[in-house]
Amino acid sequence: MTTAATTKPAQSLWESVQERNKATIQRVFAEFINRGDTSVADEHYRPDVVDHAGLPGAPEGLEGVKYTIASLREAVPDFNVTIEDISAHDDMVVIHNTWRGTHLGELLGMAPTGRSFLSVGIVIWRFDEEGRIAERWEHSVSSNMFAALGMRLLAPRKGRRRAAEGTRSVTRTVPIRSGKPLAWERLVAELQGSRRREYEASRRRLGITSEVLRVDPRADRDHVIVHFETADPERTRKRWAQSKNPFDQWLRERILDIHGEDPWAGPATSYEEAGLDWTAPPQFVRDRSDGHR
């Protein structure tokens, strides 16, 4: 028979672990995410941490976490996260948080918009037995930020992220035909809503590990810049062109109606022609005090 005397010490120990984990997350936000102190990340993250919501192009593990935060802080110099609520459950910590900032630097190839944003969402963290962060998930907070900046981040990677050197980045630009901007918006809404699972399954079949679509306003007409990552662009192109999957065929028809051409079927556009200059580095490079890398 278990008595209160035997369960209370164990319960107190578990509660102290949960309080420690919450304190760790609070420090990570205060010193690493909001101030950029990477030594805090070195102290509190596992080297092989799995971030299910890092930026496209982020390498695996701790270097990917540093890459994501550094990229956000470079693009949004006043980037700040406020923890609205925090709770601990077993080896998990859950927070409701708010992201704030102003887009003043390049982000995933998108030129600064000068827009300020406020994005709310949930982040879940898992700790290992040694009290280090082992895994991270999020809901809504980054997608809300991208939406506020006019970007759509689709087909997120599942599970462990492939190292940056194992993929190739492809950028293509296609115009939105006259009278079709609303059709484009409806298509994006479907891909993010009712047909999201089909879209993600399609990207996995094609070998696409991440994809960013954004509208690029121009004097003559708006264009869509498609940036995606895949281990073999030519194989992805062939799979897409030859696919008999009903969803793929439906999406091709919609794309051709809106753009008049298929961004996943043609040759890659150079970064210069697309107005982009972004390449994911193989690992995070810490800024030196003199401002050079």
Side-chain angles (χ1 to χ4, degrees), residues 66 166 175 183 215 223-224 229 237 281:
K66 292 179 178 179
V215 176
H223 285 63
V224 170
E229 296 176 8
R237 185 192 68 79

Side-chain angles (χ1 to χ4, degrees), residues 121-133:
I122 297 171
V123 181
I124 302 171
W125 312 73
R126 183 178 67 82
F127 284 76
D128 67 9
E129 294 179 353
E130 298 177 358
R132 295 180 299 174
I133 297 170

Side-chain angles (χ1 to χ4, degrees), residues 183-199 247 250 254:
W184 160 253
E185 293 180 6
R186 286 195 295 268
L187 174 61
V188 170
E190 286 186 83
L191 296 180
Q192 290 188 311
S194 61
R195 309 204 72 158
R196 174 80 181 223
R197 290 187 178 180
E198 294 173 278
Y199 175 84
F247 173 83
W250 168 84
R254 295 289 298 274

Side-chain angles (χ1 to χ4, degrees), residues 55-289:
L55 288 180
E60 287 187 339
L62 176 55
E63 296 306 316
V65 173
K66 292 179 178 179
Y67 167 83
T68 292
I69 297 303
S71 298
L72 289 172
R73 289 179 54 80
E74 288 179 5
V76 185
D78 59 346
F79 184 69
N80 184 269
V81 180
T82 302
I83 297 176
E84 309 295 349
D85 185 55
I86 184 169
S87 59
H89 313 272
D90 296 333
D91 60 350
M92 302 283 195
V93 171
V94 180
I95 65 166
H96 292 73
N97 62 166
T98 302
W99 293 11
R100 295 177 175 86
T102 309
H103 183 208
L104 300 178
E106 184 179 294
L107 178 62
L108 296 179
M110 185 178 187
T113 62
R115 296 181 184 177
S116 295
F117 62 85
L118 184 152
S119 177
V120 298
I122 297 171
V123 181
I124 302 171
W125 312 73
R126 183 178 67 82
F127 284 76
D128 67 9
E129 294 179 353
E130 298 177 358
R132 295 180 299 174
I133 297 170
E135 206 162 359
R136 174 185 177 273
W137 300 262
E138 72 169 51
H139 178 67
S140 298
V141 64
S142 63
S143 60
N144 288 342
M145 178 192 71
F146 283 121
L149 299 180
M151 303 174 72
R152 295 292 184 270
L153 184 62
L154 301 175
R157 293 176 178 174
K158 301 295 183 180
R160 294 180 62 85
R161 300 173 65 84
R162 181 190 295 269
E165 59 267 24
T167 62
R168 293 177 59 188
S169 297
V170 177
T171 301
R172 295 184 176 126
T173 307
V174 290
I176 298 178
R177 297 169 63 188
S178 177
K180 295 298 181 179
L182 288 180
W184 160 253
E185 293 180 6
R186 286 195 295 268
L187 174 61
V188 170
E190 286 186 83
L191 296 180
Q192 290 188 311
S194 61
R195 309 204 72 158
R196 174 80 181 223
R197 290 187 178 180
E198 294 173 278
Y199 175 84
E200 292 183 342
S202 169
R203 275 35 223 158
R204 288 193 292 271
R205 285 195 302 272
L206 299 177
I208 293 176
T209 53
S210 69
E211 187 164 63
V212 176
L213 313 179
R214 74 174 178 89
V215 176
D216 182 23
R218 300 187 183 182
D220 54 345
R221 67 177 67 180
D222 290 348
H223 285 63
V224 170
I225 295 179
V226 179
H227 176 90
F228 64 89
E229 296 176 8
T230 177
D232 188 336
E234 180 60 20
R235 183 171 59 187
T236 293
R237 185 192 68 79
K238 288 182 178 179
R239 286 179 177 176
W240 172 249
Q242 298 170 2
S243 175
K244 303 299 183 182
N245 179 273
F247 173 83
D248 291 347
Q249 293 180 332
W250 168 84
L251 182 56
R252 270 200 302 268
E253 291 175 1
R254 295 289 298 274
I255 289 295
L256 290 173
D257 176 62
I258 293 170
H259 300 291
E261 56 186 282
D262 188 337
W264 294 286
T269 303
S270 70
Y271 291 110
E272 292 77 12
E273 183 180 344
L276 303 179
D277 184 15
W278 176 77
T279 302
Q283 61 182 6
F284 176 82
V285 180
R286 188 173 182 178
D287 286 338
R288 289 167 28 186
S289 59

